[in-house]
Amino acid sequence: MGIKVIQAGLLTTVQDLGRFGLQRYGMVVSGAMDGLALRLGNMLLGNDENEAALECTMVGPRLLFEERRRIVLTGGDLSAALDGVAVPMWKPISVHAGSILSFGKAVHGCRCYICFDRGLAIETLMGSKSTYLRAKIGGWKGRALQKGDRIPFQYVDEKESTDLRWRLGHIGYPDLSQRSIRVIEGPHYAQFDQRSREDFLNISFLISNESDRMGYRLASAALRLTLPIELLSSAVTFGTIQVPPQGQPIVLMADHPTTGGYPIIGQVIEADLPLLAQLQPQDSIRFERVTVADAQQIVKDRHQQIQELKISIALKYEK
């Protein structure tokens, strides 16, 4: 007994924080596009931060709960409703058996995470429950959810749970209205001509419709190298900004390949990946350069903030 998919939504997949340690074999990390939203959702339920949840993109699913369960919704606000009544974000709520969770218009953000108390019964593959769509592995049958799917919960809820009287404020999560993405210089930054370097940090880029979990294609004036260079393929990661020969940058996202052969002009800092993940096609962004030391300090500060939050949540469950 668990959830039954009445409507699948645009793209609903099972994701945890990803499949680590296997990139040297060519296996991508994959995992949640907005890992911070997933972590916070699991923390709010007292789950392991890496527990798998449903990642809903732009148009969420319609789910029937066959058994009661406590859940929390995090990330982008896709106008969730439970039996027609609006559901608060960032707040653990109890869903009764027979209730239907549905979604409407995206209010802000692009991806909403449905986290379940103690998770769903999903097989772990190569250390992760994440769905890697291109390889058709992991998650629920290696694919996005479809109408009629039935996914069981990991355990039977034997105790009646009630709604909690607290919710997470804006602590620890970025303002999704921001359009400035912080980057550090990539290894080939200096090999772009001066005009391209100035444009990279001063003009707006439009996220094209040809964007997905593997990468965001950006539309703008073309970025050019001073001289053509031939590169050996090298390691890339989530947030690497490559520039193919036509000059339109590509930002690699969660399902990025393990290596790439295009010049790298920049790297999105880890702290801004959740913000990037919540942008929709046709949104515009600007890049803001920071130093490596700045990026490290920002991550350090966020880590400390999350640890303090984790302790605070744990105390609430102990009361």
Side-chain angles (χ1 to χ4, degrees), residues 56-74:
C56 315
T57 304
M58 294 182 66
V59 179
R62 186 175 173 85
L63 304 174
L64 168 67
F65 280 69
E66 298 177 317
E67 184 181 325
R68 69 190 179 200
R69 190 67 24 169
R70 180 175 285 172
I71 67 170
V72 66
L73 306 180
T74 61

Side-chain angles (χ1 to χ4, degrees), residues 114-129:
I114 310 173
C115 300
F116 302 86
D117 187 12
R118 301 193 212 179
L120 298 165
I122 299 292
E123 182 181 358
T124 299
L125 180 67
M126 290 182 276
S128 170
K129 298 176 181 177

Side-chain angles (χ1 to χ4, degrees), residues 2-15 52-57 59-65 101 103 112-116 120-123 129-133 136-153 213:
I3 53 170
K4 179 179 179 181
V5 180
I6 301 172
Q7 294 175 349
L10 182 62
L11 179 65
T12 305
T13 58
V14 175
Q15 300 292 346
L54 296 184
E55 179 182 274
C56 315
T57 304
V59 179
R62 186 175 173 85
L63 304 174
L64 168 67
F65 280 69
L101 179 67
F103 292 83
C112 178
Y113 292 84
I114 310 173
C115 300
F116 302 86
L120 298 165
I122 299 292
E123 182 181 358
K129 298 176 181 177
S130 282
T131 313
Y132 178 31
L133 292 171
K136 300 180 180 177
I137 65 168
W140 183 249
K141 300 181 179 180
R143 59 166 171 77
L145 300 194
Q146 297 176 358
K147 179 180 178 180
D149 284 341
R150 300 177 78 166
I151 307 177
F153 297 128
R213 282 182 47 90

Side-chain angles (χ1 to χ4, degrees), residues 209-259:
N209 293 329
E210 298 177 52
S211 299
D212 56 19
R213 282 182 47 90
M214 187 170 80
Y216 285 0
R217 291 183 177 274
L218 306 182
S220 70
L223 305 180
R224 300 295 184 193
L225 293 163
T226 304
L227 293 172
I229 55 175
E230 291 190 12
L231 299 171
L232 295 174
S233 291
S234 58
V236 292
T237 188
F238 197 163
T240 296
I241 306 172
Q242 295 184 308
V243 183
Q246 76 273 20
Q248 306 292 317
I250 300 172
V251 188
L252 300 182
M253 302 300 286
D255 285 353
H256 64 82
T258 56
T259 61

